[in-house]
Amino acid sequence: MNPRQKSFVQLHIAIVFFGFTAILGELITLSPLPLVWWRLILAALAFLPVLMIRKKFQWDRFNVVRGPLILVSIFLALHWVTFFGAIKLANASIGVLCVATTSAMTSVIEPLINRNRFHPIELFFGLLIIPGMFLVVSSVDPGMYWGIASGLISAFFSAIFTTFNKSIVGKGSTLFFTFVELFLAMIVLSIIILFARNWDSSIRLWPVPVSDWKYLLVLAVICTTVCYTLAFDALKHMSAFAANLSINVEPIYGILLAAWILDENEDLDFRFYTGAALILLVVFIFPIFEKRMMKKRVEVLRS
C-alpha cells in the first residue's frame, strides 16, 4: 500500500469514527454543557502523550497565532455545545444533517470575515440546500424544531471557527494548535458553566453516571484525539480537494449509523431522507465545482 492509499484509508477510518460522535452524544445521558466539558478535558489530556512522543510542542508559535486560536476556541466550544444540544432536542440524524450545512455557510461567512471577493456560485450552492432543509423540517415532529434550530446555529459557529482556523494553517504544528484549541475551549466553557449555573443550578459537572464514562472515553480519546491525529497524518499525502470531498461523506456515515444503532429510521419518514439526500448531494458536489472555479481563476490570471 503506497502512502497515498494508506492516507485515504486512515482518513476514512477517522471519518467513520467522526460519524459515531452523534451516536455517542445520544447515548451519553449528560446534558450538552457537562458533556462537552468532559470531552474537552479528556481529549486535551489524551493529546499530551501524542505531542510528547512526536515532540510537537511549539509554544514559541502560540503568540504568532494567538488571536485566531482564541477565536477558534470560543466558537469550537459553542459549536460542540449547540451540536449536542441539537442531538438532545431532536436526534443524531438531525444533528449531523444540520451540521452538514457548514460548508454552504462557510462559503458565505468566509468572504465577510476575510473581506474576500464574494462568488455568486457559492451563494447558489448555499440556496440549493433550502429545498432539502424544507423537506426535513416538514417531515419531523414540531417538538424537534428546537433541535433543528440548535443544529443550524452549530453549523454557523462551525463555519466561523473553520474560517479562522484557515488563517492558522501552515504556521506551526496542527496537532499542537488543536491541543491548544481544546484546552482554551475548555476554559471558555468553564466560564460559561459558572455563569449558566446562576440561572440553572441543575447544571453539574460531577458526579458523572457510571454508564457515561465508557462513552465519554470513546468520544474523547478515539473520536477526538485518535481521529484528529489520523486525519492530520492523512492530509500530508492528500490534496485539499480529495480531503474535503472525503470529509463531506461524514454526515452520510452518521445518518446510516443512527439508523443502524439507534433505529432512528423508524422515527423518520421518506421526506426526511429525501431532504437529507438533497442536502448531502449539494454538500458532496460543491468541492467539485469549487475546484473547477479555482482552476478557471488560475487560467484567467495566467492569460
Side-chain angles (χ1 to χ4, degrees), residues 74 86 105 140 166 180 195 199 204 215-216 248 293 296:
I74 292 170
M105 292 192 185
V140 301
K166 287 182 180 179
V180 174
F195 282 100
W199 287 275
R204 296 184 182 278
Y215 298 131
L216 279 170
N248 283 340
M293 286 190 297
K296 287 182 180 179

Side-chain angles (χ1 to χ4, degrees), residues 51-297:
L51 294 171
M52 287 189 288
I53 292 169
R54 299 192 176 196
K55 298 180 180 179
K56 291 292 185 179
F57 285 103
Q58 296 180 349
W59 293 109
D60 58 313
R61 307 302 300 167
F62 175 74
N63 287 332
V64 178
V65 292
R66 180 174 53 191
L69 269 177
I70 292 171
L71 289 171
V72 168
S73 301
I74 292 170
F75 287 106
L76 173 63
L78 295 174
H79 160 60
W80 277 356
V81 169
T82 47
F83 171 65
F84 287 110
I87 293 168
K88 299 295 184 182
L89 292 168
N91 59 35
S93 296
I94 287 174
V96 295
L97 182 61
C98 288
V99 174
T101 64
T102 296
S103 57
M105 292 192 185
T106 303
S107 69
V108 176
I109 290 170
E110 186 176 3
L112 295 175
I113 292 177
N114 294 334
R115 297 181 182 178
N116 295 334
R117 182 184 173 189
F118 186 80
H119 300 284
I121 191 68
E122 294 176 345
L123 176 61
F124 173 71
F125 271 94
L127 293 175
L128 282 180
I129 284 177
I130 294 176
M133 188 55 67
F134 176 79
L135 280 173
V136 169
V137 172
S138 65
S139 71
V140 301
D141 186 276
M144 292 186 175
Y145 288 171
W146 284 112
I148 294 174
S150 184
L152 292 174
I153 292 170
S154 180
F156 174 74
F157 288 143
S158 179
I160 295 175
F161 88 68
T162 299
T163 299
F164 284 116
N165 234 353
K166 287 182 180 179
S167 66
I168 299 172
V169 174
K171 296 182 180 179
S173 166
T174 306
L175 283 175
F176 173 69
F177 288 157
T178 301
F179 164 74
V180 174
E181 288 168 5
L182 292 170
F183 181 75
L184 292 177
M186 186 267 293
I187 294 175
V188 169
L189 196 57
S190 298
I191 296 170
I192 292 173
I193 290 171
L194 283 174
F195 282 100
R197 289 189 65 183
N198 291 327
W199 287 275
D200 186 357
S201 59
S202 65
I203 298 173
R204 296 184 182 278
L205 300 175
W206 188 266
V208 176
V210 175
S211 60
D212 282 350
W213 278 113
K214 59 183 177 183
Y215 298 131
L216 279 170
L217 288 170
V218 172
L219 177 63
V221 178
I222 298 179
C223 295
T224 307
T225 305
V226 173
C227 287
Y228 272 87
T229 304
L230 283 173
F232 290 145
D233 285 346
L235 294 178
K236 295 176 184 177
H237 303 284
M238 296 180 70
S239 67
F241 169 74
N244 287 335
L245 203 61
S246 299
I247 290 169
N248 283 340
V249 180
E250 180 192 338
I252 299 174
Y253 289 152
I255 291 173
L256 292 175
L257 288 168
W260 174 43
I261 298 172
L262 303 174
D263 294 324
E264 288 188 355
N265 57 305
E266 296 180 2
D267 301 321
L268 302 170
D269 61 19
F270 178 75
R271 284 179 300 165
F272 171 85
Y273 288 106
T274 303
L278 288 174
I279 292 171
L280 296 174
L281 180 63
V282 173
V283 169
F284 189 77
I285 65 176
F286 175 71
I288 299 173
F289 278 84
E290 188 176 40
K291 184 180 182 181
R292 289 181 179 177
M293 286 190 297
M294 291 197 60
K295 186 177 179 180
K296 287 182 180 179
R297 290 172 201 164

Side-chain angles (χ1 to χ4, degrees), residues 9-23:
V9 171
Q10 279 184 320
L11 183 60
H12 273 272
I13 290 172
I15 291 169
V16 170
F17 278 102
F18 282 145
F20 266 106
T21 299
I23 311 300

